[in-house]
């Protein structure tokens, strides 16, 4: 476990490190968004050819999304994924630093705002490593509630620096899943105060996962968002964002689930149904936007049942 | 006075054990089988963080209590006995 943890931290340092961010930051200032995308094609070529761990992480998804592909096609798909992710990272930085303006349309905004304002129990925002969930978060700064991100603050300090996410920031705060009991006491408290808690629905972060069907195979996804929502009596709003053109994003928050345990039926069975609904939404998204799925974590591996990250 | 406190604590412990068995996914465990000092999470009773969610709600619904202090959470959620003492200390003026 400690070895895996150390390895995860080393990998996080290797990719998306501070010099890398500095390079792209400077490039955006000097050459603009499209000019910086140009560098990206070269940098991603290196990763797609030489970074074994990154390739292996991406292939677990590529092989399920594009089954039966040959060696070259698989590598090309990995490359396209890396370029797509790189563009979205650059967009994120450019948006937050006001170096570029993006048209971000929110699908289901009115319903979402009604839930935020009506909900006395707060709500859970369930998202995944698809599209640009962080850019979507920037649109939530004016909702009048604090958004708490359940994430490891130590995961990648450079990414956080670039996003200007800090514990002190007023509208977006972090709850660490590494604190006692995975931070659930804090989560329940902020939900009770009517705030929003954002949870990645495709990463366990130490919480238990449940078996579902994903891209035609058995996979394990965490049920924490639904267990917490069922206990707290709050809704789960699914947030999926997609880059539809160079300067345009669509953030979809129109799918809302209301998990409530029915009678004495097996809770695990009920949780499984809710997680499967979420996974089905992800599948529809992935079928439409295959190169905006950055699920570089093997959710099909049985060890993901109790994955740490 | 001390007897009354011990009796009240025993009642709370019994109630908590019943609630845990009823609401958590404890398979084939009866309230009597849970020891007062048994560690609730990890080794011991084997509860996980999501069971903690249920306990937070149980405390709120059944005793009107909210665990605000995250630092204290670790000692409060340690065993049935520590939970019972927390409930006792925070409800003794209400009853």
């Amino acid at each position: 476990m400690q070895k895996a943890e150390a390895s995860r931290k080393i990998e996080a340092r290797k990719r998306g490190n501070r010099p890398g961010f500095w390079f792209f930051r400077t490039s955006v200032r000097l050459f603009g968004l499209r000019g910086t995308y140009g560098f990206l094609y070269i940098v991603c070529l290196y990763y797609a050819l030489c970074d074994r761990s990154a390739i292996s992480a991406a292939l677990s998804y590529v092989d399920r999304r594009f089954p039966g592909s040959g060696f070259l096609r698989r590598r090309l798909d990995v490359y396209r994924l890396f370029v797509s992710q790189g563009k979205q990272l650059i967009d994120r930085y450019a948006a937050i630093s006001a170096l570029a303006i993006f048209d971000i349309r929110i699908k289901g905004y009115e319903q979402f705002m009604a839930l935020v304002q009506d909900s006395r129990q707060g709500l859970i925002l369930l998202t995944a490593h698809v599209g640009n969930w962080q850019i979507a978060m920037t649109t939530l700064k004016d909702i009048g509630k604090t958004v708490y991100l359940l994430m490891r603050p130590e995961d990648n300090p450079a990414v956080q620096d670039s996003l200007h996410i800090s514990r002190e920031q007023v509208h977006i705060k972090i709850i660490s899943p590494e604190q006692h009991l995975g931070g659930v006491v804090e989560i329940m408290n902020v939900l009770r105060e009517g705030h929003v808690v954002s949870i990645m629905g495709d990463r366990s972060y130490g919480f238990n996962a449940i078996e579902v069907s994903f891209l035609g195979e058995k996979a394990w996804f965490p049920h924490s968002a639904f267990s917490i929502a069922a206990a707290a009596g709050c809704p789960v709003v699914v947030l999926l964002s997609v880059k539809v053109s160079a300067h345009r994003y669509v953030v979809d928050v129109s799918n809302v689930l209301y998990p409530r345990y029915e009678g004495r039926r097996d809770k695990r069975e009920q949780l499984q149904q809710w997680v499967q609904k979420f996974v089905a939404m992800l599948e529809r998204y992935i079928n439409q936007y295959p190169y905006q799925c950055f699920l570089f974590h093997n959710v099909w591996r049985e060890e993901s049942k109790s994955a740490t990250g | 006075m001390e007897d009354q406190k011990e009796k009240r604590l025993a009642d709370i412990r019994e109630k908590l054990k019943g609630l845990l068995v009823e609401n958590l996914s404890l398979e084939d465990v009866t309230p009597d089988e849970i020891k007062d000092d048994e560690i609730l999470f990890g080794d011991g009773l084997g509860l996980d963080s999501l069971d903690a969610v249920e306990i937070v709600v149980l405390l709120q619904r059944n005793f009107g209590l909210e665990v605000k202090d995250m630092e204290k959470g670790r000692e409060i959620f340690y065993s049935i006995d520590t939970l019972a003492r927390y409930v006792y200390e925070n409800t003794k003026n209400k009853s």
Side-chain angles (χ1 to χ4, degrees):
Chain A
M1 182 76 117
Q2 281 177 338
K3 198 177 166 190
E5 191 69 4
S7 158
R8 181 176 63 76
K9 283 180 179 167
I10 289 165
E11 285 307 317
R13 276 200 297 271
K14 232 167 76 177
R15 291 190 294 275
N17 53 22
R18 283 196 169 91
F21 275 97
W22 174 86
F23 175 79
F24 282 108
R25 215 162 36 221
T26 309
S27 174
V28 172
R29 288 180 195 279
L30 293 176
F31 307 109
L33 211 54
R34 286 182 193 278
T36 309
Y37 285 171
F39 289 116
L40 197 62
Y41 287 101
I42 302 161
V43 173
C44 288
L45 196 60
Y46 163 76
Y47 282 119
L49 291 174
C50 306
D51 190 332
R52 281 190 194 172
S53 68
I55 296 164
S56 155
L59 279 176
S60 59
Y61 162 68
V62 165
D63 287 344
R64 270 94 182 176
R65 177 59 185 84
F66 306 104
S69 301
F71 176 81
L72 281 177
R73 172 67 204 264
R74 289 169 82 219
R75 283 299 169 98
L76 182 65
D77 285 332
V78 168
Y79 177 62
R80 287 183 70 176
L81 269 176
F82 288 174
V83 169
S84 170
Q85 189 185 31
K87 282 183 180 177
Q88 302 206 15
L89 279 167
I90 290 166
D91 289 357
R92 196 188 304 167
Y93 171 73
I96 290 164
S97 310
L99 293 170
I101 295 170
F102 292 91
D103 174 12
I104 304 172
R105 306 237 166 125
I106 306 177
K107 190 177 164 193
Y109 181 75
E110 284 177 9
Q111 178 191 231
F112 176 73
M113 284 310 291
L115 279 172
V116 167
Q117 281 155 6
D118 291 350
S119 178
R120 269 161 287 173
Q121 271 295 337
L123 63 86
I124 289 176
L125 207 51
L126 183 61
T127 187
H129 290 83
V130 296
N132 206 340
W133 64 270
Q134 293 94 335
I135 216 169
M137 288 294 162
T138 63
T139 63
L140 304 180
K141 65 176 190 284
D142 299 322
I143 61 172
K145 298 281 169 89
T146 302
V147 178
Y148 290 82
L149 308 177
L150 183 68
M151 64 180 280
R152 291 190 177 104
E154 305 77 15
D155 249 358
N156 194 330
V159 172
Q160 284 183 57
D161 287 355
S162 72
L163 287 176
H164 301 181
I165 291 176
S166 73
R167 286 181 181 276
E168 291 74 34
Q169 195 168 329
V170 180
H171 301 293
I172 299 180
K173 291 184 175 174
I174 294 171
I175 294 179
S176 170
E178 290 187 344
Q179 61 180 296
H180 183 52
L181 300 175
V184 295
V185 175
E186 190 175 357
I187 292 172
M188 294 299 280
N189 283 342
V190 299
L191 285 173
R192 204 180 290 128
E193 288 162 9
H195 296 295
V196 175
V197 176
S198 173
I199 296 178
M200 300 305 293
D202 56 0
R203 282 284 174 99
S204 291
Y205 289 127
F207 290 105
N208 287 345
I210 212 158
E211 186 185 314
V212 289
S213 168
F214 181 49
L215 295 176
E217 282 184 41
K218 272 196 297 191
W220 282 269
F221 279 74
H223 55 74
S224 51
F226 297 102
S227 320
I228 292 168
C234 72
V236 174
V237 177
V238 177
L239 181 149
L240 299 172
S241 75
V242 61
K243 181 176 168 77
V244 288
S245 66
H247 286 84
R248 201 171 150 220
Y249 280 88
V250 173
V251 178
D252 186 353
V253 285
S254 64
N255 292 299
V256 183
L257 299 166
Y258 296 88
R260 300 289 180 272
Y261 293 122
E262 281 175 21
R264 301 195 63 81
R265 268 179 60 211
D266 187 336
K267 284 185 178 174
R268 202 170 169 78
E269 194 184 304
Q270 297 180 63
L271 285 169
Q272 198 265 347
Q273 288 174 1
W274 298 324
V275 177
Q276 186 66 66
K277 272 187 191 171
F278 168 66
V279 169
M281 288 175 202
L282 266 187
E283 267 199 22
R284 281 197 294 277
Y285 174 102
I286 286 166
N287 286 334
Q288 208 173 346
Y289 309 104
Y291 297 106
Q292 295 197 42
C293 173
F294 312 121
L295 187 59
F296 300 152
H297 168 70
N298 195 343
V299 292
W300 295 274
R301 204 175 46 190
E302 194 145 349
E303 290 77 37
S304 302
K305 270 196 275 194
S306 54
T308 54
Chain B
M1 190 69 170
E2 199 58 28
D3 284 353
Q4 271 185 337
K5 178 183 173 182
E6 282 310 315
K7 187 178 178 311
R8 172 94 178 108
L9 274 171
D11 290 345
I12 296 171
R13 281 194 287 263
E14 289 316 301
K15 186 168 181 181
L16 283 170
K17 288 177 188 177
L19 288 168
L20 257 53
V21 169
E22 197 183 321
N23 291 281
L24 309 185
S25 45
L26 289 169
E27 287 168 19
D28 304 324
V29 176
T30 63
D32 296 341
E33 288 169 336
I34 304 174
K35 293 177 194 147
D36 293 348
D37 59 353
E38 193 168 2
I39 298 169
L40 296 178
F41 294 90
D43 303 334
L45 202 53
L47 302 183
D48 61 27
S49 54
L50 295 169
D51 291 316
V53 173
E54 302 280 354
I55 298 178
V56 170
V57 174
L58 290 179
L59 289 177
Q60 192 188 359
R61 287 199 188 137
N62 294 279
F63 303 101
L65 294 178
E66 293 175 8
V67 182
K68 288 274 182 195
D69 188 342
M70 254 69 75
E71 294 303 310
K72 279 191 175 168
R74 190 181 294 274
E75 58 186 79
I76 295 167
F77 288 89
Y78 184 77
S79 66
I80 284 289
D81 193 47
T82 57
L83 264 180
R85 285 180 189 282
Y86 175 73
V87 171
Y88 175 79
E89 291 300 329
N90 288 278
T91 56
K92 63 183 176 188
N93 295 329
K94 291 181 189 172
S95 55

